[in-house]
Amino acid sequence: MKVEKLTILIPVYNEQECLEMLYQRLVNVADKLEEVETEFLFVNDGSRDDSLQIIKRLQRSDKRVALLDLSRNFGKEVAMTAGIDYATGDALVIIDADLQDPPELIGEMLKGIEDGYDDVYAKRSNRKGETWMKKSTSKLYYRMLKKISDIPVQEDTGDYRMFSKRAIDALRRLKENERNMKGLFSFIGFKKKPIYYERDPRIAGKTKWNYWKLVNLAAQGFMSTSKVPLRLISIMGIFVSLIAFLYLIFVVVRAAIWGDPVSGYPSMVSIILFLGGGQMLALGIIGEYLGIVFSETKKRPIYYVNEYSTGDVAEAGND
Ligand code: UDP
Ligand code: MG
């Protein structure tokens, strides 16, 4: 499949230190792609620093730069969604603004798309500059997600990936509010191909993630791709009732044979506490799913756009 135009989608949230350098690297890569038109689509996700001004400045000197300015900070998942909706290319690659994803892979990814793949994803073979804790928790998470979800998930894969036209169209049709993009990328299926690379440390600025945000994203990942947690509750319920039933028989038989002196107060308290805790957990999990239903039924738009401009328009406006 011949690609005519490639959109490079960059979600941006407070990345003023990175943008110039990123732009330079992207230009180098784009200039090498002969016969393919490129678009640099910067999605400004409510940055509070000078990111927006920098993007606008880049746009004045380079027609390839497009700007999608969201009305506030919606988070990376939504920023990517908005970018996918506004992309004009017939292939699209998502890349972080902090240069942790080396743009030099784009050529190879594009080749994969032209060879007929729909989703060429960059798979990390190591992660420099990330803490041991983050690496091992992320590994554990992927392993669990893989076990419990109904659709295959790509392990050790971020959002650095390139999509074909039909994969882009498939993604545009997913309108759910509780978005976990990795889950959606897997959900659409089609022909996928990994490319291995070493993830670099962030060149400047600070990561926007903290553990709380990661825990939220992880929970959302589980719940939006799988009904297994709900099933686990039922299984646990059956298991506990079975044990309770056996114990009941035991208690009745024992009372019938040896009589029933009052004893076992501590064991009763611990059983009640155990069951109480289990019930709370179960209610919590059900509540989480209910929460997803709640936010989906509101059918709110996923994002709002403050301003959208392509390089052409910006140039016309400035002359
Ligand atoms: N990002 C965003 N909105 C947010 C948080 C992050 O668009 O609310 C962008 C950010 O600008 C960067 C990418 O998502 O381009 C990845 O963010 P970051 O490097 O902080 O995440 P990490 O690499 O640490 O997982
Ligand atoms: Mg990063």
Side-chain angles (χ1 to χ4, degrees), residues 12-15 17-18 49 98 202 204-210 213:
V12 177
Y13 179 52
N14 297 347
E15 301 282 8
E17 298 93 349
C18 303
D49 64 359
D98 57 5
R202 178 176 254 287
K206 276 204 304 272
T207 174
K208 312 297 175 303
W209 293 102
N210 53 40
K213 274 194 186 173

Side-chain angles (χ1 to χ4, degrees), residues 21-236:
M21 231 177 309
L22 170 79
Y23 172 73
Q24 276 315 321
R25 294 260 298 265
L26 287 179
V27 166
N28 287 343
V29 169
D31 287 347
K32 274 194 217 115
L33 303 175
E34 285 146 26
E35 298 170 31
V36 179
E37 198 187 328
T38 43
E39 169 190 48
F40 307 140
L41 175 57
F42 289 89
V43 180
N44 180 37
D45 185 19
S47 298
R48 277 185 289 264
D49 64 359
D50 284 335
S51 299
L52 182 64
Q53 283 69 39
I54 296 173
I55 299 167
K56 285 189 167 168
R57 202 170 63 227
L58 293 175
Q59 196 173 36
R60 261 175 252 135
S61 59
D62 189 342
K63 276 207 295 221
R64 290 171 293 187
V65 176
L67 163 71
L68 181 64
D69 185 29
L70 301 182
S71 63
R72 64 168 169 89
N73 176 250
F74 283 93
K76 187 186 179 192
E77 308 295 301
V78 172
M80 289 190 285
T81 306
I84 291 170
D85 287 344
Y86 278 78
T88 57
D90 49 5
L92 172 143
V93 60
I94 301 171
I95 190 165
D96 281 3
D98 57 5
L99 283 169
Q100 279 192 291
D101 311 322
E104 290 70 27
L105 289 183
I106 288 179
E108 199 183 337
M109 289 172 142
L110 191 65
K111 227 162 100 221
I113 297 291
E114 296 197 320
D115 286 346
Y117 287 96
D118 295 286
D119 175 359
V120 182
Y121 58 96
K123 198 165 163 158
R124 309 183 265 253
S125 43
N126 96 341
R127 311 168 105 186
K128 274 180 260 172
E130 291 189 21
T131 58
W132 171 86
M133 185 73 176
K134 186 160 177 196
K135 277 190 265 193
S136 49
T137 43
S138 132
K139 195 160 186 171
L140 182 74
Y141 170 66
Y142 278 118
R143 195 163 301 159
M144 275 167 64
L145 192 60
K146 218 171 175 168
K147 278 251 161 60
I148 73 164
S149 90
D150 320 324
I151 37 178
V153 200
Q154 286 80 48
E155 222 171 314
D156 266 332
T157 303
D159 298 315
Y160 187 24
R161 47 215 292 169
M162 190 182 290
F163 298 103
S164 69
K165 183 76 185 119
R166 61 176 183 169
I168 300 172
D169 289 338
L171 289 170
R172 283 182 184 153
R173 284 169 59 192
L174 294 166
K175 291 289 174 221
E176 58 209 80
N177 273 299
E178 296 277 326
R179 307 180 78 80
N180 182 280
M181 294 308 279
K182 284 183 197 50
L184 299 185
F185 296 154
S186 305
F187 176 76
I188 60 167
F190 294 124
K191 278 172 74 183
K192 298 189 189 301
K193 176 190 161 139
I195 283 185
Y196 293 88
Y197 79 114
E198 306 221 323
R199 189 159 166 88
D200 296 326
R202 178 176 254 287
I203 47 160
K206 276 204 304 272
T207 174
K208 312 297 175 303
W209 293 102
N210 53 40
Y211 263 94
W212 178 238
K213 274 194 186 173
L214 279 179
V215 166
N216 279 335
L217 189 71
Q220 209 183 34
F222 276 127
M223 308 240 169
S224 63
T225 51
S226 167
K227 294 193 274 290
V228 171
L230 284 175
R231 196 153 314 133
L232 277 183
I233 296 178
S234 325
I235 294 173
M236 246 163 61

